[in-house]
Amino acid sequence: MKKLFALVLAFALLCTASSALALTVGFTQVGQESDWRTANTDDVCSAIKEAGWELIYDDAQQKQENQVKAVRNFITQGVDYIVFTAVVTTGWDEVLQEVVDEGIPLVLIDRFPETNFPDDSWYTTYFGGDFPEEGARAGRWILNYMASVGHEGDINIVRLQGTTGADAQVGRTKGFDSVVAANPSMKIIFDQTGNFTRAEGQAVMEAALKAVGAENIDVLWAENDDMALGAIEAIKAAGLVPGKDIIIVGCDAVKAAFEAIVAGDMNCTVECTPLMGDRVVEVITGLEAGQTFEKTVHPVEYVYDTNGGIAYDDAGNVTLKAADHLAERLY
Ligand code: GYE
């Protein structure tokens, strides 16, 4: 009898434990534009699955209306959590209000949506890069590097921006502009979006070389590595040596950028980590246990270049050497 009771108890406990874990998580991803995005998708999706939860994944293919549809589908399907990154910052109030009305907790990652809610109770927590700081780091690296090689006079910069209106584009542009504003020798002589893709990075760089003349460009600052890598192709095709004739600075710190730095084609990449899966699982697990989280958490990130040792912030931090970190970079 005792044995039977113990067995029933064990079974009941098992059921409660597994039902507490039987969660359904909807994840609306913005698209597949870059190496960063692929790594982010893989990392978040596999973490959710490894936690034993059901994942409903949607790729919005860069379209806000697709993301809105995906969120509404998640609501209809009665998901327990929604993991959300906003393709562009504005235009989310209506659909996010619907999520709030359903009482579905929103876990925000990567690109933050701007909303008009009266307070911040509409989302649980946000985890993503400090985009203005990333842009500012690129600006400071350029200043310090150009000084270290004895460059005199103006620093003429071509900028390739990310997808217009995306948090990562808005923030990186703002942060970089703040460094330019404080340093009149920095001149942005060509400034256009390349939509965070290699193909557009290449095409827009071709246009820039024609428009301003290759000999007038000192630095390319691309708001992600994919655009920098595309631009490198355009620079080579124009008969120039990327990394020497034009200094190349990207953002994300993906493996392909480390390889380009090691090959001498690229000079610097500002890190923005796509690895957010562990944080998503930590947050959902914690919320299930009644925990609350800080509203905003930024991952710790570095700046990588050819030799290391170039200053990139006001706290006296210096760059790391890309070659030392190539082997450990998985994406
Ligand atoms: O830098 C870029 C991607 O939102 C931080 O989006 C992300 C950016 C990333 O396409 O490569």
Side-chain angles (χ1 to χ4, degrees):
M1 194 62 190
K2 250 191 189 163
K3 241 189 186 168
L4 186 71
F5 179 72
L7 222 85
V8 170
L9 189 74
F11 182 70
L13 279 174
L14 207 80
C15 287
T16 1
S18 62
S19 73
L21 289 176
L23 299 171
T24 303
V25 181
F27 172 30
T28 162
Q29 180 60 289
V30 306
Q32 316 175 36
E33 71 281 4
S34 63
D35 288 4
W36 188 100
R37 189 64 54 195
T38 308
N40 180 253
T41 303
D42 291 350
D43 191 62
V44 173
C45 289
S46 54
I48 290 170
K49 286 189 222 150
E50 272 162 33
W53 304 329
E54 193 189 328
L55 168 70
I56 308 180
Y57 173 75
D58 187 87
D59 170 1
Q61 299 177 342
Q62 309 299 330
K63 293 205 178 82
Q64 182 166 33
E65 75 241 40
N66 289 349
Q67 274 203 290
V68 170
K69 257 188 235 155
V71 170
R72 292 202 169 121
N73 273 334
F74 295 159
I75 295 174
T76 312
Q77 294 181 67
V79 300
D80 299 296
Y81 290 89
I82 292 177
V83 178
F84 182 73
T85 170
V87 62
V88 290
T89 49
T90 54
W92 299 104
D93 283 79
E94 194 181 329
V95 73
L96 294 183
Q97 184 64 57
E98 291 167 27
V99 175
V100 172
D101 290 345
E102 289 298 319
I104 303 170
L106 265 170
V107 180
L108 304 182
I109 58 167
D110 175 28
R111 300 180 184 172
F112 194 85
E114 294 298 333
T115 60
N116 294 309
F117 293 116
D119 57 36
D120 60 11
S121 61
W122 57 276
Y123 68 100
T124 59
T125 178
Y126 163 74
F127 182 66
D130 185 343
F131 302 131
E133 175 59 21
E134 290 166 3
R137 286 178 174 179
R140 290 187 211 115
W141 184 90
I142 290 168
L143 266 180
N144 283 295
Y145 177 80
M146 296 309 269
S148 78
V149 296
H151 180 88
E152 281 169 13
D154 286 349
I155 303 170
N156 291 326
I157 302 163
V158 167
R159 174 165 62 189
L160 298 185
Q161 297 192 18
T163 307
T164 307
D167 194 17
Q169 176 273 322
V170 176
R172 287 173 190 161
T173 301
K174 194 172 140 207
F176 192 83
D177 282 346
S178 69
V179 177
V180 171
N183 296 280
S185 68
M186 295 176 87
K187 300 265 185 321
I188 301 178
I189 58 169
F190 187 95
D191 201 8
Q192 215 168 291
T193 181
N195 272 314
F196 282 133
T197 69
R198 253 178 229 221
E200 283 189 61
Q202 182 167 352
V204 178
M205 191 66 209
E206 269 167 30
L209 288 163
K210 281 201 194 107
V212 298
E215 67 287 358
N216 297 317
I217 306 170
D218 297 310
V219 176
L220 165 73
W221 154 232
E223 289 179 353
N224 83 343
D225 287 336
D226 281 71
M227 292 189 294
L229 293 163
I232 286 171
E233 294 311 312
I235 291 167
K236 284 183 177 168
L240 296 157
V241 184
K244 287 206 179 72
D245 295 336
I246 299 176
I247 302 304
I248 315 282
V249 183
C251 190
D252 284 348
V254 293
K255 193 181 188 75
F258 281 17
E259 283 164 353
I261 293 175
V262 170
D265 288 344
M266 192 163 161
N267 306 80
C268 172
T269 181
V270 177
E271 185 170 38
C272 174
T273 185
L275 304 179
M276 302 182 172
D278 285 350
R279 175 66 179 171
V280 166
V281 169
E282 180 196 343
V283 166
I284 294 177
T285 309
L287 291 167
E288 284 293 295
Q291 237 175 286
T292 51
F293 290 88
E294 290 254 314
K295 283 290 170 178
T296 299
V297 175
H298 298 303
V300 176
E301 291 164 337
Y302 302 93
V303 179
Y304 300 89
D305 61 11
T306 313
N307 297 315
I310 299 269
Y312 69 81
D313 68 14
D314 301 332
N317 284 310
V318 295
T319 55
L320 302 175
K321 186 173 172 173
D324 294 344
H325 297 270
L326 175 61
E328 84 212 17
R329 187 82 357 165
L330 300 175
Y331 52 88

